[in-house]
Amino acid sequence: MYKRQLCEYLLSSERIATCIRRDGHIVFRKWIKYNVEEEFRCFIKNKKLVAISQYEYGNYLPEYMNQPELISKLIQNYISQVVHDIPFDDIVIDVAVHDLNVYFIEFNDYGLESDTDAGLYDWENDKKILCENHDDIDIRLYDEKWLVAKYTIA
């Protein structure tokens, strides 16, 4: 009975129904409990991780999470293990970093034409970081300067 209710609930969501019609799949994974401060948005361009943003970018990170080098290294390692199995060249992946493990949360469309929020980046103003080839992986964690840049209209 609960399976049927769950399916009816999911299919009543316009967003989910659209994704299922477009992609033909719905995938479930084991639930993990994590803090919102542990979630990050990862930008993959041409199957290469180019940038990482704190997901809830209006929140200060607790001290244990304010370690950009560690976060970047953990996420890079995870992405390198799964990127060849991802059926998209350009994709935004949300992940959680919890107890030094990285967990997949969801895929999102990539680019200015999508409705995907760019986190502490801006699809237009940060085009060089998000859309061009470069060797470095940019990471942005909470900092007031990124919020000012994101919400200042030029």
Side-chain angles (χ1 to χ4, degrees), residues 52-65:
I52 301 167
S53 173
Q54 179 179 343
Y55 184 80
E56 285 289 331
Y57 48 83
N59 295 341
Y60 287 101
L61 281 176
E63 192 61 39
Y64 76 96
M65 287 300 293

Side-chain angles (χ1 to χ4, degrees), residues 77-95:
N77 185 46
Y78 174 78
I79 296 295
S80 71
Q81 292 174 41
V82 300
V83 74
H84 300 293
D85 295 323
I86 297 170
F88 311 102
D89 291 337
D90 304 334
I91 195 76
V92 177
I93 300 176
D94 293 340
V95 300

Side-chain angles (χ1 to χ4, degrees), residues 5 11 33 48 50-51 54-55 61 82 86 100 109 130 154:
Q5 289 173 325
L11 293 174
K33 188 174 179 175
K48 182 177 183 289
V50 295
Q54 179 179 343
Y55 184 80
L61 281 176
V82 300
I86 297 170
L100 300 179
D109 291 333
L130 299 175

Side-chain angles (χ1 to χ4, degrees), residues 5 21 26-27 58 61 76 90 98-99 112 114 126 130 151:
Q5 289 173 325
R21 279 192 301 274
I26 187 167
V27 177
L61 281 176
Q76 284 178 59
D90 304 334
H98 180 73
D99 291 336
L112 184 60
S114 73
D126 293 312
L130 299 175
Y151 293 108

Side-chain angles (χ1 to χ4, degrees), residues 9-103:
Y9 176 75
L10 290 173
L11 293 174
S12 70
S13 161
E14 185 177 326
R15 178 181 177 203
I16 291 173
T18 300
C19 290
I20 292 172
R21 279 192 301 274
R22 182 185 68 207
D23 302 330
H25 299 7
I26 187 167
V27 177
F28 294 92
R29 62 163 174 77
K30 182 180 177 183
W31 179 262
I32 60 154
K33 188 174 179 175
Y34 63 92
N35 298 316
V36 69
E37 296 87 5
E38 298 172 321
E39 189 170 347
F40 297 90
R41 181 149 276 187
C42 305
F43 300 85
I44 296 177
K45 182 71 177 168
N46 296 320
K47 290 212 175 269
K48 182 177 183 289
L49 180 63
V50 295
I52 301 167
S53 173
Q54 179 179 343
Y55 184 80
E56 285 289 331
Y57 48 83
N59 295 341
Y60 287 101
L61 281 176
E63 192 61 39
Y64 76 96
M65 287 300 293
N66 200 0
Q67 301 178 55
E69 295 83 14
L70 176 62
I71 291 167
S72 182
K73 184 177 178 181
L74 291 169
I75 291 174
Q76 284 178 59
N77 185 46
Y78 174 78
I79 296 295
S80 71
Q81 292 174 41
V82 300
V83 74
H84 300 293
D85 295 323
I86 297 170
F88 311 102
D89 291 337
D90 304 334
I91 195 76
V92 177
I93 300 176
D94 293 340
V95 300
V97 177
H98 180 73
D99 291 336
L100 300 179
N101 293 301
V102 179
Y103 298 93

